[in-house]
Structures are given as C-alpha cells and as structure tokens.
Amino acid sequence: MPISPLQKAIRKLSPKQRKWSMMGQGTPKRVNRWFKWLSPGLFVKRWLLISATGLLLSVLGLAIWVKLTPVDRLLELISQLLEMITTYVPSYISGPVALLLGLFLLLWGQSRTVGSITEAFPDSDQELVDRLLTHRRLHRGPKIVAIGGGTGLSTLLRGLKQYSANITAIVTVADDGGSSGRLREEIGVLPPGDIRNCMAALADEEKLLTELFQYRFQAGEGLNGHSFGNLFLTAMTAITGRDFEKAIAASSKVLAIRGKVLPATLSDVRLWARLDDGRLVEGESHITEAGGKIAEIGCFPEHPPALPAAIKAIAEADYIIMGPGSLYTSVIPNLLVPDIRKALAKVKVPRIYVCNIMTQPGETDGYTVADHIKAIDRVCDRRIFDAILVQRTSPSATALKHYAKEQSHPVFLDREDVKNLGCRIILANIMDENPMTAKVTHHPQRLARVLLRWYSKN
C-alpha cells in the first residue's frame, strides 16, 4: 500500500510530536482497535471474563471472612447515594450512563494495559491485537509438508508461510558443491546450504535474514566463498554436540521461523547417476556437469534411514507438496530414502507435485511434463501424488531467447500422455519473470495461493 505524504511527514516526527499530530485523527483507529479485541478466536475475552469473575469472588470471599460488618455499612452508603442520584436523575438515564461509563473505563484500562505490553515489542509495526490475530490465523492453518531442496523449495515456503504456521519442510542433504561441499569435506557436517535457504524463507524478518544468511565472505583464508548462514549452522552443530537435527531446531528458535525445517536423513548421502551412454557419475554437483541423459539415479548408502520427525510430519500432514526444484538433484534425492517413499504412499491426504517451468541443462533436457511424472514414478515404483501443477503460459520472447542460449526450454505439457498416466493437471499462472535479467521463477505468493485454493477444494 503506498504511503501518503502526510504519513511520511508524521514518521519523521519525534514520538511526542507524533502523538500530538495524531490526536485529531486517532480516535476512530483506537475505537476500531478496541472492537478487534472482541474478534472471535482471539482467546482474550474469556480471560478478561475469568479475571473479572475472580475479582468478584475475591471481594465476596473477603466480605464473608470479615462477617460483612464493614461491607454492610458500605452497601448502605452506596444505597443512599444511588437513591439520591435517582431522585434528581431518572433511572432510565442514570443507569445507561453508569453502564457506559463502566464499560469505557474497563476498555480504556485494558487498552492502556495492551499499549504498555506493545511497547515491549518496539521492532514490530503491527499493533499487538493484529499480531495476535495473525498468530491465531496462521496456527489454525493446515499442516503442510513441503518436500524438495534448492531455491525452488525456499520460494514455495516464502509464499506458504502467509497461510499457515504449521509447515514442515523436508530437505535433501545430498549437496556436495560450493560452500556446503567444502564444509562437508573439511568438517564432516551435513551440507547446510538448502537448510539455510529454507530457514531464511520461513523467518519473520525474511529480507534482512536472507541477506545475512546469503552473505558470502569475499576475503580471508578459509572464509572466502563461505556463506554466513552455512557457518552459523555449522557452529550450531558443534555447540549441540554434532547433532544436526538439534542444531536446526536451536537455530529455528533463535531466528523465530514459522514451522519446521528437517533433513530427509542424517546419513552422509552421496548421489550417483547412470547416464544413457553407460557412464556412472558420482556426486550431486557432477551429475549436471556430465552433460548426458540420466537413465537411473541412486545414492550411497543405498537405503539411508529417514529422520523419524520427518516420517511423523508426513503421517500427520493435511497436505503434501513436492517441488518445485531440480528434478534429479533436489526432489528425487528425498525419495531415495525408502521410509519417506512408503510414508508418502500410505497417507490419504491431497498430494501435489509442482512441475518446473523450464528444463534444466544436463538434467532434464527435452523433458515434458509426463517425463517428470515418469521419473518420479520409476524411483518410487508407484504414484505418490494426485495432481501436478503446471505453468499456464509461456515466458516472454526475451526470456525464451535468454534460456535458449543455455539450452533450456519451457517444459512442454503433453496433455494426453499425462492423462493416460492417470494424473490430474492443474494449470495456473504461477510464474514470475524478471524484466532486467529475463529469468523466470515461481512467484511465491501466486504459487501458494493456487496450491491452497486447490487444497480447499479437496
């Protein structure tokens, strides 16, 4: 929402000046805020009522304890005062006036109390009542499990967190390139890169935290090329006794993220791929560099154990989303964990796969939508999702030219083949195209909105 010149001028004033400048226009906003406290589901009215009842019972108990001696005199004095008031002011006037005055004092007192509490949160632009309403709404949201890795999963989470706080991201730990690969080789920790991206996406202060976690050191022996977020998670792993799961949980508390981020497994997983020309390529970062067509994919160890918390999250989920992300190096690595495959096949909740917009060179060259479905089915030996979400329109001509230079093209929707596979197609405009770089990605808010709309209909 655009900021008016008046609002800009008011923000430049000191707190005291701002208070005086807003006096003429603050009453309606304050009254509106009082009514918000009466909103259903806020869990405030019941506690106010209980507090008032407790005060009344305390006074009554005290009166009984002292045998009513001073209370009788007080009641008599109040009775005489009321008779005097009603003699000069009729009861049909004095009664409502007293009632309204009492309610005003009650609301005013509660408002001032809430104002004092709100001052304890100076870093938030929201009123306390708005924060409570948002908190209640998000915690009533569906239990969503999102499975994948890379930038695709973090993009999805960035949109989903606006609809629910009950999100569990199950993330691949097969990355062996860049900063994550160096930390994996030198220190022996699981690759933190994808975990880092997901935690930043789910954080309340997402923009600042993303910049901090994505910051890469440009100098310093040993530091050069490392991101701060990777070093942060590595340090947390050491502090928690080399327990990666505890390190993620502790980091999540520090960063106040909405939901949970879990690794698919705690095993040191390394991907391998057999290409159609017979070559065997090991290592996630080397698979796409090999430049061949992937015929088979697997991992070492062959049957990595799943993280129990991940299996529990899938069993308790209301909604399961896979992708978007690199098919063979972000989505499928999670499905190479046998217990995750079994858990996904067992649940009876809506399950959807978000297909990529563009093919990925060295990984999904020439792939159609049906090819993506077949690749996942081959790994799982069965269908583990009910529908596939596909971008409705093609990118601009400028973007197509840009991607063609990289041997990347839009994923073609072969409708008949997909229907023959027994998979439901969901078409929507979920693309975000950057006019400066001509790059296309999934739009976080559009993607989440479409996914939640489909969920509500199932």
Side-chain angles (χ1 to χ4, degrees), residues 57-325:
L57 288 175
S58 299
V59 172
L60 181 61
L62 182 62
I64 295 172
W65 193 5
V66 298
K67 299 181 180 179
L68 301 176
T69 304
V71 178
D72 283 340
R73 295 175 184 173
L74 179 61
L75 292 176
E76 185 178 349
L77 178 62
I78 293 174
S79 178
Q80 292 175 356
L81 180 62
L82 291 175
E83 286 181 8
M84 187 182 302
I85 292 173
T86 54
T87 301
Y88 297 100
V89 184
S91 59
Y92 63 84
I93 295 177
S94 58
V97 168
L99 177 61
L100 291 174
L101 180 61
L103 291 175
F104 169 76
L105 291 175
L106 176 62
L107 290 173
W108 183 53
Q110 291 299 321
S111 175
R112 298 306 300 170
T113 301
V114 170
S116 299
I117 297 173
T118 304
E119 290 177 0
F121 304 96
D123 57 332
S124 177
D125 294 331
Q126 280 188 313
E127 295 284 353
L128 182 60
V129 62
D130 293 321
R131 295 185 69 183
L132 287 173
L133 286 169
T134 300
H135 175 82
R136 291 297 177 190
R137 176 179 62 82
L138 293 177
H139 280 77
R140 286 197 298 265
K143 295 179 180 177
I144 303 173
V145 170
I147 302 173
T151 56
L153 182 57
S154 58
T155 298
L156 170 66
L157 298 177
R158 196 170 289 117
L160 288 180
K161 74 175 183 181
Q162 305 300 327
Y163 295 89
S164 178
N166 303 312
I167 302 171
T168 300
I170 299 178
V171 190
T172 175
V173 287
D175 188 8
D176 63 356
S179 173
S180 291
R182 286 171 57 191
L183 291 171
R184 182 175 183 172
E185 293 296 330
E186 295 172 9
I187 302 179
V189 297
L190 289 177
D194 288 348
I195 300 284
R196 173 201 78 212
N197 289 333
C198 292
M199 292 176 64
L202 288 174
D204 282 336
E205 297 294 335
E206 179 197 326
K207 186 176 184 299
L208 178 62
L209 191 64
T210 298
E211 290 179 359
L212 176 64
F213 264 40
Q214 302 288 40
Y215 174 78
R216 289 190 182 273
F217 293 92
Q218 303 298 325
E221 186 177 352
L223 284 176
N224 190 26
H226 280 302
S227 70
F228 173 80
N230 286 355
L231 296 178
F232 179 86
L233 281 170
T234 302
M236 272 292 190
T237 303
I239 291 172
T240 54
R242 300 191 67 79
D243 188 322
F244 195 52
E245 183 181 3
K246 287 183 178 179
I248 297 171
S251 301
S252 299
K253 289 182 180 179
V254 172
L255 303 174
I257 73 167
R258 296 179 190 174
K260 298 178 182 177
V261 179
L262 302 174
T265 178
L266 294 178
S267 295
D268 184 18
V269 174
R270 293 187 179 273
L271 290 183
W272 59 262
R274 192 179 304 280
L275 308 183
D276 60 352
D277 59 8
R279 284 181 294 161
L280 181 67
V281 183
E282 295 185 17
E284 184 259 5
S285 61
H286 300 299
I287 291 175
T288 54
E289 295 174 357
K293 186 175 181 180
I294 298 172
E296 184 183 2
I297 193 162
C299 66
F300 301 115
E302 187 176 356
H303 302 293
L307 187 73
I311 300 301
K312 182 180 179 183
I314 293 173
E316 296 176 352
D318 298 319
Y319 188 19
I320 293 173
I321 305 168
M322 288 177 283

